[in-house]
Each structure stands twice: as structure tokens, then as C-alpha cells.
Amino acid sequence: MASQWDNILNFLLYLAVTLPLLGFGMLVFLFTTPYKEYALIREGADTSDPQKQGAAKAAAHDLGGKIIGLSIVLASAIYHSVNLFDLVIWGIVAIVFQVLVFYLFELVTPFRVISEIPKGNVAVGLFASRLSIATGLLMAALISY
């Protein structure tokens, strides 16, 4: 029974590090995009304007994909890390790369992602979301020792 308490303590320690990392990642994502995701989502919920509704959907997909992508990397980091500091390092690497991939996506597309999402282009939000999830999956697979 004592070893089970050790496992629970380990779970709680990793959870206490992972949740703030996820929150920090969300804050970084929110501050590194020029549009305000929560404002777009809020405005889209309180209107019948199709453009604002589209912008809300596009922003929600974009931000949601980044959160899922980061969560996938964090899950892999939890599994592979040798200690909590190792988890933090991989979490920060994942956050940085998610932001870099978003801006690389911005550079290589024939349209401006940062202007299409606020205009309500849901397809761009979905594409950005799936790109973030794919990035998370690849980064998760790259974590090994």
C-alpha cells in the first residue's frame, strides 16, 4: 500500500507541473497571435453576424488545436522524462515550436493567416488546428532517450 501512495504522490507532482505548463502555453499562444481569440469567440457567441460567428469558430479551432498539440507533447514528455525538470524543458520546447510552426504556416501560405481567422475563414482555422495537432504528434514521437 505504501508504494501506491508513492505513485499517487508522483502523479500529483507531475500534474502540478503539467497543468501550469499547459496554462503557460495557452498564455503564450494568446499573446503571440495579433488577434484576440477569446474576444473573437465571445463576440461570435453573442451575435447573428455570420462573419463574427465564423471568426469565433476559426479562433476556437486554431487555439484548440494548439492546446491539443501541446497536450500530446506534454503527455509524451511525462512518459519519457527522467524528472520534473526534464518535463519542464520539453514543455517549453513544445510551446516554442508550436508558435514557430504557426508563423511558418503564416509565411508559406498564399494568404495571411493572421487576417483570415478574424475575418471568419473557418477553413484556415481548421487547417491551423490540424497543423498544430500534427506538430504535436511529431514532436511527441521525437522525444526519446
Side-chain angles (χ1 to χ4, degrees), residues 55-74:
K57 290 175 187 175
H61 281 294
D62 179 41
L63 184 59
K66 289 175 186 166
I67 293 167
I68 292 169
L70 177 58
S71 296
I72 291 167
V73 178
L74 289 174

Side-chain angles (χ1 to χ4, degrees), residues 66-138:
K66 289 175 186 166
I67 293 167
I68 292 169
L70 177 58
S71 296
I72 291 167
V73 178
L74 289 174
S76 179
I78 290 167
Y79 182 78
H80 290 98
S81 64
V82 294
N83 55 42
L84 291 172
F85 181 71
D86 198 33
L87 171 60
V88 170
I89 295 299
W90 283 115
I92 292 169
V93 166
I95 292 165
V96 169
F97 273 91
Q98 285 285 11
V99 172
L100 289 175
V101 165
F102 177 82
Y103 281 101
L104 182 62
F105 177 51
E106 172 75 13
L107 287 174
V108 300
T109 57
F111 49 83
R112 305 288 299 167
V113 176
I114 60 175
S115 62
E116 289 299 312
I117 288 176
K119 286 195 297 190
N121 192 333
V122 178
V124 171
L126 283 167
F127 194 139
S129 168
R130 299 324 186 262
L131 185 62
S132 294
I133 293 169
T135 299
L137 284 168
L138 291 174

